[in-house]
Amino acid sequence: MAEIRHSGTWGSALTSDEFAAIRSVGFEPAGQVLGACVYSIGFTGGYACPGAWGSWGYGAPVRTTTQVSSRGGYGSYGPLVKAMYEARHKALDRMSAECEALGGHGVVGVRLTIGPFPAGGLEFKAIGTAVRAPGVGPVSTWKARRGHRHQPFTSDLSGQDFAKLIMKGWVPAGLAMGISIGSRHDDWMTVGQTRWGAGNAEVTGFTELVADARHDARLQLARDVTRLGGEGVVIAEMDMRVRERECPVQEGRRDHIVEATSIGTAIVRFTRREQEQTRPALAIMSLDPQRRQAARIRI
């Protein structure tokens, strides 16, 4: 990083339009930065099924409940979600450390990816472009209000969106994440509502599973925004994956698993006054012929 910083050149993951947008608000690229972390996922949780116990061995229960990762207990995927948070945060922290070593004030255009590692495990990677603020235009106001906060910000916003935030008096506080995994054991209502002869009907169990997982992910996102000191969050990605498995405690029954993920940029205001935009004069002409004639006579 020291060699790159003193080389007089910089790299980036920006398009030409993004570069122009960032320069228009007083920022400049400091270099491309990367953070990576390889995790071996051993214990994931979710090896029990709370819904199956309601049957007491006499078949599927009439109705079960959804178990989400943040609540813990039987069937919870809390250990897996905790590992996913830890791995992502380590990748982001290492990327931020490279940004700081390059003299950057933050990272824009962050891309978070997860993929299998050939030797085993999962690779969590964060890549983006470090930017710095020399101290001109609205940037000087931001630096003054930034005060003691020396930790570089992270953001998945494009260069254009980042420039729009700065022009409106906002700055990224950090990349916020909300992750939740919900599981639900099939009950008699779910089985009956998904039969071919059930017709057009809502599958209430699946609806509750999706709603609970999404709601829990939103709660975790809000907590992450608070941790970062943000006033709000702009969402760039909301993802949901659904799968099913053989119930581990009841033969012949299925469990459905929903993984909900929300990733966005927490933002904070650094100035209360938006930059005024000069608007062109608006010509107004009356459509009443008598008023137009009277105006001509007065002239």
Side-chain angles (χ1 to χ4, degrees):
M1 291 295 104
E3 183 180 356
I4 294 174
R5 183 174 182 178
H6 295 96
S7 67
T9 60
W10 48 264
S12 81
L14 302 172
T15 65
S16 57
D17 289 340
E18 288 180 303
F19 170 72
I22 288 173
R23 292 291 293 132
S24 70
V25 291
F27 282 79
E28 63 184 19
Q32 189 180 95
V33 287
L34 167 70
C37 178
V38 178
Y39 251 61
S40 174
I41 306 297
F43 177 61
T44 62
Y47 292 128
C49 177
W53 299 112
S55 63
W56 295 98
Y58 297 105
V62 175
R63 187 173 181 83
T64 61
T65 58
T66 299
Q67 176 69 62
V68 294
S69 52
S70 66
R71 298 173 190 165
Y74 290 108
S76 170
Y77 283 85
L80 174 60
V81 171
K82 182 180 179 182
M84 295 172 70
Y85 271 120
E86 288 179 353
R88 283 187 169 102
H89 284 152
K90 284 183 178 180
L92 288 171
D93 289 344
R94 288 164 184 168
M95 182 188 67
S96 297
E98 287 197 357
C99 171
E100 196 167 8
L102 289 175
H105 294 115
V107 187
V108 299
V110 176
R111 296 194 301 272
L112 280 172
T113 59
I114 305 175
F117 190 68
L122 294 174
E123 180 188 12
F124 295 78
K125 183 172 64 176
I127 186 171
T129 300
V131 295
R132 55 174 166 249
V136 294
V139 179
S140 57
T141 306
W142 167 69
K143 291 176 71 176
R145 289 188 176 271
R146 193 165 178 255
H148 65 281
R149 297 178 59 189
H150 300 298
Q151 181 71 22
F153 65 79
T154 54
S155 168
D156 59 355
L157 296 173
S158 67
Q160 295 92 325
D161 291 337
F162 173 76
K164 291 176 184 177
L165 275 184
I166 295 295
M167 292 299 293
K168 290 299 182 179
W170 295 80
V171 70
L175 204 62
M177 294 174 287
I179 308 171
S180 178
I181 299 180
S183 60
R184 188 182 180 92
H185 180 78
D186 276 352
D187 52 34
W188 279 118
M189 292 183 65
T190 302
V191 173
Q193 290 167 344
T194 53
R195 286 197 178 110
W196 176 82
N200 300 329
E202 180 186 9
V203 185
T204 54
F206 292 170
T207 299
E208 292 177 8
L209 173 61
V210 170
D212 285 354
R214 287 188 183 276
H215 179 69
D216 188 48
R218 288 166 55 193
L219 287 178
Q220 305 313 313
L221 178 69
R223 291 173 183 171
D224 212 24
V225 172
T226 301
R227 178 185 66 84
L228 293 167
E231 298 179 38
V233 61
V234 287
I235 300 293
E237 178 184 354
M238 296 182 68
D239 183 42
M240 188 182 73
R241 300 180 182 181
V242 183
R243 62 183 176 90
E244 64 176 11
R245 68 172 184 182
E246 186 76 22
C247 179
V249 298
Q250 192 174 46
E251 187 176 355
R253 290 299 174 186
R254 311 290 294 176
D255 292 339
H256 287 83
I257 315 296
V258 168
E259 179 183 342
T261 304
S262 297
I263 299 177
T265 297
I267 60 175
V268 62
R269 192 192 305 267
F270 70 87
T271 178
R272 290 291 173 181
R273 186 177 66 180
E274 297 182 355
Q275 291 192 354
E276 297 181 358
Q277 297 181 354
T278 303
R279 298 182 179 180
L282 179 63
I284 300 176
M285 183 179 66
S286 174
L287 298 179
D288 185 350
Q290 293 182 354
R291 295 182 64 181
R292 293 203 305 270
Q293 180 65 25
R296 285 195 292 267
I297 292 175
R298 286 196 299 270
I299 294 174

